[in-house]
Amino acid sequence: MKLTVAIAVILLTIPLASAQVVKVEMNPQTLLPNDVADCKLIISLPQLTYISGISFYHPSALEIKPDSVSSIGWVQSYVLPFTIKAEKSGIYTVNVIINTMNGSIKQTFVVRVESKMPEIVLDRTMFTLNEVNEVGFSISSPLQISNVIVIPMFDANPKVIYVRNGRGYFKFEPKKPEPLRFKIEFYNGKNYHEIVQTVKVEYRKSKGVLINATPEYPIALIGDVIGIDVRISNLRQDNIYSVKVNVSNGSFSVKSVEIPMIKAGETKVVKFKWCSRSAGIKNVTIEVTYLDEFNNKHSERKIVTIKVLNETTLQFSDIEIERSLNGLTITGDVCNNGRSKIYNILVSANGKTYYIDYLDPSDFDSFEITIPANVSKVQLKATWTNEIGEKFEKSFEVKVSNVETNVKKGGGGILPLTISLITLVAILILVFIAWKKRR
């Protein structure tokens, strides 16, 4: 048989070879080790010709089925399906001998078997720990592949990536520095492959979320309302969501504020109004909690120190009590020594009251209250409300026995004064008459 084929090759005529058309189609055109290619040998002859057989001559690293056929018969065109399986990488030459009644036709084609597998190429290899990193990638391949799927072998979103046009992306939040491993699934023709690839990457620490809290004043009085500005700076590379700012230790206008989202590199400011009901060093706690894109919860904390003096914002001054026939009259001033307004000021003495609508910071107002005189002591009290609605009071007691008496006797308004003047004039006249007699 081999001798017959050899003779047929020698007897190959130039006119027949130049007139014929023989080509080989392969799918896929490039193989990976152990891949199988679906092939077609397409023969087009200038005239009806008898083909007695077709044989393939190839290296042992290739497996061709069928590697020969016989008794094809009279044809002008003919298609022979066959398969090629590659065992290992390399470039192989395959010779096809077509035996006809007019001689033999030789056709040569090359089979390429590639050893290099497709690989994932990340757009960047520097990532931030404890942040959501968004990563794009491409698939580098020496051959045409299809139905490519990338499965990150770590916690990522999405968990299965369907590659389109050689591109894909995913998000992940690394907790510790480690290489990234991927499983790549793909088809080369009808050949399924899966490989695991490890990509070495680098990591840096997250700058996190910075809290900067500044009180309007470092020193306050009891009940005084101090503004506290809380600046929340997102120094992360990703957005944060459901940002809650909670404050504690003291009385506040509100104790919690929520911000829907703070973008990467953005700063938001939240304002609180705070007061203390007691003196001392007060540590105001500010806690910020937030969610990342994967709904993981994070928190940051800041302490703000404010010194509260043992003195209330409202103070009494210049208190005077005068006794008269109408009773006891109490007069004086109330002063706002704080840095915020106070409202609904009610000064009372033994049940009698005097109302002041409001006092600005460092302002004062006077009051006058008259009560019955038949009391042994005066209970003086003031109540007020600060800017955040907190109520306060201040009181002290004055004993009436210590009050000087100033009683104006009845009988007409100017009668006592008139009598005194008449008496004085009479004395002066008597003195003048006595002086004249001596002269």
Side-chain angles (χ1 to χ4, degrees), residues 65 74 94 117-118 231 310 384 405:
K65 292 182 179 181
W74 291 90
V94 179
M117 289 286 186
R231 297 174 61 87
N310 191 22
W384 69 95
T405 304

Side-chain angles (χ1 to χ4, degrees), residues 254-273:
V254 291
K255 287 201 169 185
S256 182
V257 175
E258 183 168 348
I259 304 169
M261 179 181 73
I262 302 180
K263 296 180 180 179
E266 187 178 27
T267 297
K268 294 285 187 180
V269 179
V270 178
K271 296 180 178 293
F272 292 93
K273 289 184 176 182

Side-chain angles (χ1 to χ4, degrees), residues 127-130 172-180 199-205:
F127 303 110
T128 307
L129 294 170
N130 299 308
F172 79 116
E173 185 175 0
K175 302 298 183 183
K176 59 181 180 179
E178 59 185 359
L180 301 182
V199 180
K200 290 184 178 180
V201 295
E202 296 180 357
Y203 295 92
R204 61 190 171 198
K205 291 183 178 180

Side-chain angles (χ1 to χ4, degrees), residues 389-408:
E390 293 286 312
K391 293 184 178 180
F392 294 84
E393 72 173 47
K394 183 179 181 66
S395 62
F396 65 93
E397 188 177 274
V398 179
K399 291 184 179 180
V400 177
S401 59
N402 297 333
V403 177
E404 295 183 1
T405 304
N406 184 13
V407 180
K408 299 176 182 179

Side-chain angles (χ1 to χ4, degrees), residues 8 11-14 16-17 45-52 74 98-105:
L11 295 176
L12 182 63
T13 60
I14 296 175
L16 183 59
L45 301 172
Q47 59 189 19
L48 196 64
T49 303
Y50 184 84
I51 298 178
S52 58
W74 291 90
I98 305 166
N99 297 316
T100 71
M101 64 180 299
N102 296 324
S104 296
I105 304 169

